[in-house]
Amino acid sequence: MEKKHIFIQTFGCQMNVHDSEKIMTLMERSGYESCDDMRKADLIIINTCSIREKAAQKVYSQLGRLKELKREKPGLILGVGGCLAQQWGSKFIERIPFLDLVFGTHNIHMLPELVTRIEKTKAPVVQIEFQESVKSLNIPALSSNGKISAYITIMQGCNNFCSYCVVPYLRGREESRSFREIADEVKSLAHRGVKEITLLGQNVNSYGASNSNGHDFADLLREIDKIGGIERIRFTTSHPKDLSDKLIHCFSETDKLCEHIHLPVQAGSNRILKMMNRCYTIKDYLEKVDKLRAVCPEISITSDIIVGFPGETDRDFQATIDMMKKIRFDGIFSFNYSEREGTDAAKLGDTVSIFVKRERLRLVQSLQEEHTIEKHRAHVGNIVEILVEGMSKNSREDMTGRTRTNKIVNFRGNHELIGKAVHVKITDAYLHSLRGELTEEEVTKC
Ligand code: 5AD
Ligand code: SF4
């Protein structure tokens, strides 16, 4: 029998990218084959994100473009999953009547059964009920076959209810996977040639807290550190309030843990942090940064910053700028505040004008560019270890990889180096990457 084809388009975060890999695993088991041309597909899944309004708008315009394809190919099954699907449920089908399937963040494991039902009945299906336990947590991502880097979900959901954020409503409460299962999955990935793993969760450093399985996140890192074949461990995302001293010490004691942490600060004003329900002050955050740098002087620290939260004054915004100058992040993701329905912050109104938000965002981004380039320039002359990921996007003669501190480095080399850890001497620094040359010399910096 001829195989059917599935095409998945993913919007949003790494968590969504990984969910798409799980969807692929499930559908491959049900006889589907992945394809990268949506015109050939029998099943198209759009995996959505709704964390900011802009992300949601992108999904709607993509669905608009698919209308034509659906008309040309009536047998095509078109489904949406992820946070926007969870949020909109059956309203999605009212708005986009040519959709066949809407499935929520807790329903991924049911996908093969839902697709079969649509094939038989030709009727649309909406499945968005939260489950007591998220069954898809344990589905491995087979599509990481042949890759040197893989994601593993270790927990999902969030209990923090930051006032601006929809995630707790759309992903449900925190749930951690079993310690053993995670270790076994890492072993199996290592067996298939994976060298670098990224542990994923909305709040990875509260791993174990809600399931009280006797192990916390630092224990998990130490366990994975012992697994042969794995060379690098990364994780994202962590909440500052859950960054324990025990976890900070892992950066010096756990060999494979890379010297990088993404630690979203969101704002520099204590007043705004309180309104955001972040549960720390800027003093607490600075103390954690100092501790991280004392334990691991080379650590790279990246962050998320929101500008224009309701009621943010010039003075509050200046506190964000002052905090950035004090910390000097290696990189940030920065966002205009966008009101999300149902959140506590939505009750405050969207009081900062788009013009003020834009100007504040511009100031934050240009300051960060100064800091990023300054950090990059400090690398020139260093010998660093790069895990080679593939060919560079810009030149067929160049290879690309990352330092342990998560900086992109391009260098002249050939594809036989893919998957290998090589030493590179940094020669040039740019805003988004570094450039270097292969060397036999010993590493001088992470
Ligand atoms: N508006 C703007 N940015 C947001 N984020 C989450 N919710 C919102 C919102 N409503 C940002 C936060 C978070 C990142 C993933 O997205 O900075 O850390
Ligand atoms: Fe959203 Fe806050 Fe949870 Fe992060 S910690 S997912 S920002 S509620």
Side-chain angles (χ1 to χ4, degrees):
M1 205 175 76
E2 214 181 295
K3 280 210 166 185
K4 291 190 182 155
H5 290 96
I6 169 172
F7 176 91
I8 307 184
Q9 184 168 25
T10 312
F11 291 86
C13 60
Q14 282 164 315
M15 200 86 177
N16 261 18
V17 172
H18 190 45
D19 279 348
S20 291
E21 290 177 346
K22 290 178 183 180
I23 291 173
M24 203 53 99
T25 300
L26 281 175
M27 296 316 293
E28 278 174 7
R29 283 183 193 157
S30 317
Y32 275 81
E33 201 170 84
S34 103
C35 70
D36 41 21
D37 176 2
M38 62 169 81
R39 305 202 148 263
K40 278 199 197 139
D42 304 285
L43 170 65
I44 296 180
I45 300 287
I46 311 288
N47 196 3
T48 66
C49 170
S50 76
I51 198 148
R52 286 171 298 276
E53 203 180 359
K54 227 174 170 181
Q57 279 159 3
K58 276 193 204 161
V59 172
Y60 285 123
S61 47
Q62 172 61 352
L63 282 169
R65 285 192 286 273
L66 287 174
K67 191 173 181 182
E68 195 55 32
L69 194 58
K70 182 80 183 159
R71 201 170 358 205
E72 282 168 23
K73 204 172 168 181
L76 169 69
I77 297 179
L78 183 58
V80 290
C83 287
L84 204 59
Q86 185 67 49
Q87 188 176 13
W88 279 74
S90 53
K91 280 195 234 148
F92 227 131
I93 296 203
E94 283 162 28
R95 186 163 171 175
I96 312 222
F98 54 90
L99 266 182
D100 300 290
L101 170 64
V102 178
F103 61 101
T105 54
H106 284 203
N107 310 99
I108 292 176
H109 66 288
M110 302 166 82
L111 201 56
E113 176 200 326
L114 301 177
V115 169
T116 310
R117 203 190 304 164
I118 296 166
E119 282 169 346
K120 277 196 193 131
T121 63
K122 316 277 179 236
V125 169
V126 176
Q127 188 78 45
I128 57 160
E129 286 74 40
F130 274 172
Q131 314 281 312
E132 214 156 90
S133 97
V134 186
K135 310 247 174 11
S136 62
L137 270 178
N138 301 332
I139 302 168
L142 284 182
S143 54
S144 41
N145 251 336
K147 281 201 214 155
I148 56 150
S149 192
Y151 299 130
I152 298 194
T153 319
I154 62 160
M155 57 86 66
Q156 107 146 13
C158 182
N159 294 350
N160 289 326
F161 289 92
C162 300
S163 65
Y164 51 81
C165 185
V166 278
V167 167
Y169 305 95
L170 303 182
R171 292 261 176 188
R173 294 295 71 73
E174 283 178 11
E175 184 182 345
S176 298
R177 272 179 81 184
S178 113
F179 194 76
R180 271 294 122 231
E181 255 164 28
I182 299 171
D184 288 347
E185 193 179 333
V186 176
K187 280 180 201 150
S188 120
L189 287 168
H191 193 68
R192 282 189 270 151
V194 167
K195 303 248 165 84
E196 177 181 76
I197 57 149
T198 303
L199 307 176
L200 286 182
Q202 259 85 34
N203 210 0
V204 279
N205 52 349
S206 68
Y207 171 80
S210 42
N211 298 44
S212 61
N213 63 13
H215 298 287
D216 63 16
F217 184 55
D219 297 333
L220 184 66
L221 289 175
R222 288 176 186 163
E223 183 70 13
I224 296 175
D225 194 47
K226 293 186 222 149
I227 298 175
I230 297 297
E231 293 175 17
R232 291 178 170 196
I233 308 169
R234 301 186 184 279
F235 61 83
T236 195
T237 286
S238 26
H239 194 299
K241 78 171 166 47
D242 298 315
L243 181 62
S244 64
D245 285 353
K246 185 173 167 191
L247 178 53
I248 291 176
H249 281 280
C250 286
F251 283 102
S252 64
E253 292 160 6
T254 311
D255 291 342
K256 295 173 186 172
L257 180 61
C258 287
E259 291 77 3
H260 169 228
I261 186 166
H262 186 67
L263 196 63
V265 61
Q266 311 298 1
S269 146
N270 286 332
R271 201 179 74 85
I272 297 291
L273 286 173
K274 192 147 192 245
M275 288 204 283
M276 287 178 160
N277 192 29
R278 291 291 290 176
C279 305
Y280 53 83
T281 62
I282 276 303
K283 184 164 166 277
D284 300 331
Y285 188 90
L286 290 172
E287 275 170 15
K288 304 242 168 169
V289 167
D290 285 346
K291 271 190 196 164
L292 280 164
R293 287 180 170 155
V295 164
C296 179
E298 294 181 41
I299 195 163
S300 124
I301 304 179
T302 56
S303 201
D304 291 346
I305 291 179
I306 298 176
V307 300
F309 184 82
E312 186 187 67
T313 61
D314 287 343
R315 199 161 157 198
D316 292 318
F317 175 67
Q318 188 56 42
T320 294
I321 294 288
D322 295 344
M323 172 272 299
M324 287 177 69
K325 286 183 180 163
K326 240 185 234 151
I327 295 177
R328 303 183 100 79
F329 290 113
D330 288 74
I332 58 161
F333 295 109
S334 52
F335 312 101
N336 280 334
Y337 168 75
S338 85
E339 186 177 285
R340 307 316 283 139
E341 203 185 316
T343 58
D344 278 349
K347 295 178 196 143
L348 304 171
D350 196 356
T351 62
V352 180
S353 81
I354 185 64
F355 304 104
V356 172
K357 280 183 193 162
R358 277 192 198 136
E359 178 56 10
R360 288 180 184 169
L361 193 66
R362 192 188 65 75
L363 290 168
V364 159
Q365 289 176 343
S366 65
L367 178 62
Q368 184 55 46
E369 283 182 8
E370 278 174 37
H371 294 167
T372 305
I373 195 82
E374 166 196 293
K375 299 251 172 188
H376 280 183
R377 284 198 186 119
H379 273 286
V380 174
N382 291 339
I383 320 264
V384 291
E385 181 203 86
I386 308 293
L387 186 60
V388 186
E389 289 170 15
M391 224 147 55
S392 146
K393 272 189 244 144
N394 302 329
S395 160
R396 309 197 80 216
E397 290 165 62
D398 285 345
M399 303 306 289
T400 191
R402 276 164 208 267
T403 62
R404 288 175 57 99
T405 52
N406 210 30
K407 305 202 186 283
I408 295 170
V409 181
N410 297 310
F411 60 97
R412 197 51 47 101
N414 62 50
H415 67 273
E416 279 162 26
L417 296 176
I418 295 173
K420 299 212 166 81
V422 297
H423 294 185
V424 169
K425 183 172 195 164
I426 303 299
T427 53
D428 299 286
Y430 310 105
L431 187 56
H432 300 292
S433 65
L434 298 166
R435 182 156 190 89
E437 291 162 356
L438 282 169
T439 174
E440 302 280 298
E441 288 175 69
E442 280 307 305
V443 166
T444 58
K445 276 266 158 54
C446 305

